[in-house]
Amino acid sequence: MLELIVISTLNGLLFGMLLFLLSSGLTVIFSMMGVLNFAHASFYMLGAFFGFQLTKWIGFWPALLLAPLLVGAIGMAVERYGLRNTHKHGHVAELLLTFGLAFAIEEIVAMMWGRSPVDYRVPALLDFPAFTIFSTNYPAYKIFMLAVSILIFIVLLMVLKRTRVGLIVQAALTHPHMVGHLGHNVGRIFMLVFGVGSALAGIAGVIAGPALVTQSDMAAALGPILFVVIVFGGLGSLPGAFIASLVIGLVQTFAVALNGSLASAFGPLDPSMGPSVLTDIWNVTIAQVAPIVPYLLLVIILIVRPMGLMGTRET
């Protein structure tokens, strides 16, 4: 039992930090620009496939640098030539644009790399067990993923809260005209913010690709959970996204690891009742309901605290 708790905690923290790496970009874009980017998970997928392709050509470590830059450049182009033109029509038009973009990116990726998983492997330098705990070898690459995620969280928080650039970026959202009168190019600031947010998703894709399955539907699999994270944490709140990512990561990982059910806790139902819906529910394991746990948390938080854990009604 202790082994299950320790390993599940490590895996939960890792999954939570990966969620944060993805949701941080989405949260920054929303908090700065008010745009709910449906294509954000697609940028994560692009990062994974760019990382895979560049790794084949020039190796993993250059790919870790170049792939997020490419994704960030695509994100900047989307903001400059797509979102900026639709901005005057309101957020619904922006949302629909990103919604269509997500499907377009998925189909383009499927055409280029196919719909089957690609052979994206862990770099040889990190392909060894970091430590052994309860006879289980924990991969060094997962520790690397955890360290990168924590480092990005600290850097992002410091830049936004403690630097002049971060203050200008935040002021550009609430007082764009004043920032413009001070000589700053507000349009360029928004483009850079969108590019940085997209690049963060790209980094997540590059480092998660070898550990998870890299295939053309990976964005659709992870995208809905990202929106759960940013709503659960509070729209526009970076600390909220961090806490929500860890909570959802840990809860879902433990749910998958646990194999308990009402039948195992209280014993089987009376056989005289025969097969019924109640019998099916009685035998459902926690692992079977694990995929819906994040969405149940979303419903609960919206009922109890509609603004999310650390959000405000103004956001």
Side-chain angles (χ1 to χ4, degrees):
M1 188 62 183
L2 184 59
E3 179 180 2
L4 175 75
I5 293 174
V6 173
I7 298 297
S8 296
T9 301
L10 285 172
N11 288 334
L13 287 174
L14 180 65
F15 183 49
M17 289 308 297
L18 177 64
L19 286 178
F20 171 72
L21 200 55
L22 272 165
S23 61
S24 61
L26 189 60
T27 299
V28 168
I29 289 171
F30 182 83
S31 64
M32 302 301 161
M33 304 171 62
V35 176
L36 199 54
N37 180 17
F38 261 95
H40 195 73
S42 301
F43 291 129
Y44 156 74
M45 179 173 64
L46 280 180
F49 277 94
F50 286 170
F52 161 71
Q53 195 63 54
L54 289 171
T55 297
K56 286 181 67 178
W57 290 342
I58 57 177
F60 177 80
W61 300 106
L64 181 59
L65 177 66
L66 291 178
L69 292 178
L70 284 174
V71 176
I74 292 173
M76 291 169 69
V78 168
E79 195 283 333
R80 175 64 184 84
Y81 300 106
L83 289 172
R84 196 175 300 183
N85 292 330
T86 56
H87 182 69
K88 55 181 174 289
H89 300 297
H91 290 317
V92 173
E94 293 174 325
L95 189 146
L96 292 175
L97 186 149
T98 60
F99 190 72
L101 185 64
F103 282 97
I105 291 175
E106 181 175 334
E107 289 304 317
I108 291 171
V109 167
M111 282 190 287
M112 294 184 67
W113 285 282
R115 296 193 182 277
S116 300
V118 297
D119 187 20
Y120 190 10
R121 298 187 179 183
V122 172
L125 190 63
L126 295 173
D127 193 12
F128 63 92
F131 53 85
T132 302
I133 183 167
F134 300 111
S135 72
T136 300
N137 292 326
Y138 204 79
Y141 190 74
K142 288 191 174 181
I143 300 297
F144 167 74
M145 291 173 63
L146 192 61
V148 171
S149 302
I150 293 172
L151 178 66
I152 288 177
F153 169 67
I154 294 171
V155 170
L156 199 58
L157 205 58
M158 295 294 287
V159 168
L160 286 177
K161 300 294 184 185
R162 300 296 178 88
T163 68
R164 185 168 177 270
V165 173
L167 293 176
I168 292 172
V169 167
Q170 293 184 73
L173 173 68
T174 53
H175 302 88
H177 296 297
M178 183 190 73
V179 173
H181 289 316
L182 290 173
H184 300 290
N185 188 327
V186 176
R188 186 177 299 169
I189 292 172
F190 282 178
M191 184 175 69
L192 288 173
V193 167
F194 202 90
V196 170
S198 303
L200 287 172
I203 294 173
V206 177
I207 66 170
L212 307 176
V213 179
T214 301
Q215 58 187 14
S216 60
D217 63 349
M218 59 193 295
L222 201 57
I225 297 181
L226 294 184
F227 290 98
V228 173
V229 169
I230 65 167
V231 173
F232 189 86
L235 286 170
S237 170
L238 197 61
F242 179 73
I243 295 171
S245 299
L246 292 182
V247 168
I248 291 176
L250 286 167
V251 168
Q252 191 163 25
T253 304
F254 271 96
V256 170
L258 296 173
N259 200 31
S261 65
L262 291 173
S264 62
F266 301 105
L269 291 176
D270 190 343
S272 62
M273 295 179 65
S276 65
V277 174
L278 180 60
T279 308
D280 293 337
I281 295 174
W282 199 256
N283 291 305
V284 168
T285 63
I286 297 175
Q288 287 177 300
V289 300
I292 65 171
V293 168
Y295 306 103
L296 292 176
L297 290 176
L298 175 67
V299 172
I300 292 171
I301 195 69
L302 285 175
I303 293 173
V304 177
R305 188 176 167 81
M307 72 286 287
L309 285 178
M310 300 186 72
T312 63
R313 289 192 183 278
E314 285 73 21
T315 58

